[in-house]
Each structure stands twice: as C-alpha cells, then as structure tokens.
Amino acid sequence: MSSIQPANESVAPGTVRKLSFLDRYLSVWIIAVMILGVLIGKFLPSVPRVWERLSYGSVNFPLAIGLILMMYPPLARVKYEALPVVFKNIPALLFSLFQNWIIGPLLMFGLAVLFLGSHTGYMVGLIIVGLARCIAMVIVWNDLARGDREFCAGLVALNSIFQILF
C-alpha cells in the first residue's frame, strides 16, 4: 500500500503544532465569540444600541476595522503581479463560479427547505449566506492552510465582483 502524501508538500509533519495557540483553536474562538455575542444581546439589551450608534448607513465601523485588520496580513503577502496568471486559468475560474453560484446556493436552499420550511425569512437568510461567504474568512483560512495566496486572492476578487453585480 502506498502512503498518502499531503497535497502541499511544503507542509511538514508537525505543522499543526507550529501554529500559534490562537490559530490552532480558531474554530473554538469563533464559536465562543458567537455564543458570547448572543448572550450579551440577550442579557445586556443596551449593548446592541451602542453598536448601532457606531454605524453609518449599513457600515458598522468597528466591524469594518476588525475585518480589515484580519485580512491585511494575508493580503499583504500576495504577489499581485502574479494575478494575471490566475485569471488565465479559465477552467479553475469557471469551476469556482459554478461552485459558488450553483452548488452553494442549491445546497443552502436544500438545507433551508429541510430545516426551516415554515420560516421564510430564515430560509432567505440561509440561502444568501450560501451566496455571500465571508471574504475575510476565506482569505484567513487559506492563509492558515498555506494555500496559494495569489490564486485565493484572484478567486475572492472574482466572486466579490459577482456578489456586487448579482
């Protein structure tokens, strides 16, 4: 039997141990902060009003600043001069668009019907989440997985344009 080789040969054994404590348990922190946010909203009803005052139109300034700070480190290491090569890979671009604009929404529609059939507002929300993934998290997770930064930036840019247009 042949042994399974990692897709990215630059990832050495023990890479997970080399991640910082924060990076290694990122999923745990995200879930914990989501729970904390729900609890704060429930038990401290004045806090959401404070956050609303820190907004202009539909832009919440603390959230925007946090997203920029989260995306800056991975995006600062992208070789932007290599992006034209990414955009020449038509099969990969078409596959990304198919996955993001056909498979994702259909999957979310199926989940919405299956679990939220009588709650149309929640159904619409779930379907929209299937269309508009968090760009910041795509970039951060790609960086943590040591993915191709240039390819990720190109695909994120393409899908962002489609999100704005459609």
Side-chain angles (χ1 to χ4, degrees):
M1 261 200 295
S2 64
S3 62
I4 298 173
Q5 296 295 321
N8 184 349
E9 293 180 12
S10 67
V11 178
T15 300
V16 172
R17 281 182 254 130
K18 293 178 184 176
L19 290 173
S20 71
F21 184 73
L22 181 66
D23 289 343
R24 189 177 311 152
Y25 296 103
L26 186 59
S27 297
V28 174
W29 309 139
I30 292 169
I31 292 168
V33 170
M34 288 169 55
I35 292 169
L36 180 64
V38 170
L39 292 174
I40 288 172
K42 181 161 180 67
F43 296 111
L44 300 170
S46 62
V47 172
R49 286 190 292 271
V50 171
W51 281 103
E52 286 173 16
R53 280 189 247 143
L54 298 172
S55 298
Y56 180 76
S58 64
V59 177
N60 180 276
F61 292 112
L63 181 63
I65 291 167
L67 287 172
I68 290 167
L69 290 175
M70 184 170 61
M71 290 188 302
Y72 179 76
L75 287 175
R77 293 187 292 262
V78 171
K79 296 176 188 128
Y80 290 98
E81 65 275 5
L83 286 180
V85 174
V86 171
F87 289 113
K88 288 180 182 174
N89 190 342
I90 302 300
L93 297 176
L94 291 175
F95 179 73
S96 175
L97 291 173
F98 177 75
Q99 188 175 9
N100 285 304
W101 292 91
I102 305 296
I103 301 297
L106 286 175
L107 174 66
M108 293 310 229
F109 177 77
L111 291 172
V113 169
L114 184 64
F115 293 109
L116 303 168
S118 61
H119 305 285
T120 55
Y122 289 130
M123 287 177 67
V124 170
L126 188 60
I127 294 165
I128 289 173
V129 166
L131 285 171
R133 278 156 287 314
C134 178
I135 292 166
M137 290 311 297
V138 169
I139 293 168
V140 170
W141 285 108
N142 179 71
D143 199 50
L144 287 173
R146 295 184 182 197
D148 186 318
R149 289 185 182 114
E150 291 73 28
F151 208 75
C152 180
L155 292 178
V156 163
L158 179 69
N159 281 299
S160 298
I161 290 167
F162 270 74
Q163 285 178 11
I164 291 167
L165 294 175
F166 298 114

